[in-house]
Amino acid sequence: MPVGTQATVKGLTARDLDQDLGVRILLANTYHLYVRPGPGIIRGLGGLHRFMAWPHAILTDSGGYQVFSLSGLRKIDSDGVMFQSHLNGDLHKFTPESTVDAQLAFGSDILMALDECPPYPVSHEYARESMHRTLRWARQAAIISASA
């Protein structure tokens, strides 16, 4: 599953991926697409499939990896993650509900629930807390996606 972080796999066209390599699913990154160009713009342009000219399945992640990788720009609480855009410093809040909403706006075929990826090493206590937080967020996301 090639990664098209910003709705493109660098160095390859959709034709290369589809016809030459036989790829049937791509991963796109919710965080990066959320901050630029944004769910509303992608929805308005017909969703990720049309935006990317991609005829096959698209999985979007939750943005949880950026919760880890942008640790200096975010604050985690029980409701979600407040983060500062790495592009312009704008503040955004990712919640289990908002990440599902964004992925639905993208027209994703497979959506991922918001998760926390704690750094290594981490205490057993923190790992347990993080796991329970992620499970709560997954339950919240499942309720939202079931009603969408």
Side-chain angles (χ1 to χ4, degrees):
M1 182 182 335
V3 176
T5 298
Q6 295 175 316
T8 186
V9 176
K10 292 179 180 155
L12 296 171
T13 66
R15 183 182 183 283
D16 294 335
L17 294 164
D18 180 19
Q19 295 178 13
D20 297 340
L21 298 173
V23 171
R24 294 298 173 253
I25 185 169
L26 294 177
L27 183 145
N29 185 277
T30 294
Y31 168 84
H32 289 288
L33 294 171
Y34 177 88
V35 296
R36 181 181 55 197
I41 290 174
I42 291 174
R43 175 186 279 141
L45 294 171
L48 273 178
H49 289 87
R50 190 160 177 209
F51 184 70
M52 296 172 69
W54 182 247
H56 304 294
I58 297 172
L59 179 148
T60 46
D61 68 3
S62 68
Y65 180 76
Q66 281 68 39
V67 170
F68 162 76
S69 69
L70 300 173
S71 62
L73 300 173
R74 56 87 171 138
K75 181 172 177 12
I76 301 170
D77 62 30
S78 62
D79 297 326
V81 182
M82 179 65 73
F83 64 90
Q84 187 176 8
S85 167
H86 71 288
L87 297 173
N88 61 12
D90 287 353
L91 290 177
H92 302 279
K93 178 82 174 202
F94 266 12
T95 66
E97 298 86 356
S98 72
T99 58
V100 166
D101 289 343
Q103 292 174 82
L104 290 171
F106 297 152
S108 304
D109 298 296
I110 302 171
L111 290 70
M112 302 302 288
L114 183 61
D115 57 336
E116 179 188 1
C117 305
Y120 179 84
V122 67
S123 71
H124 181 79
E125 181 181 323
Y126 190 87
R128 179 185 299 275
E129 178 184 321
S130 175
M131 176 195 66
H132 286 293
R133 177 181 298 119
T134 296
L135 288 171
R136 281 192 310 276
W137 288 350
R139 287 184 192 105
Q140 288 173 249
I143 291 167
I144 295 303
S145 64
S147 66

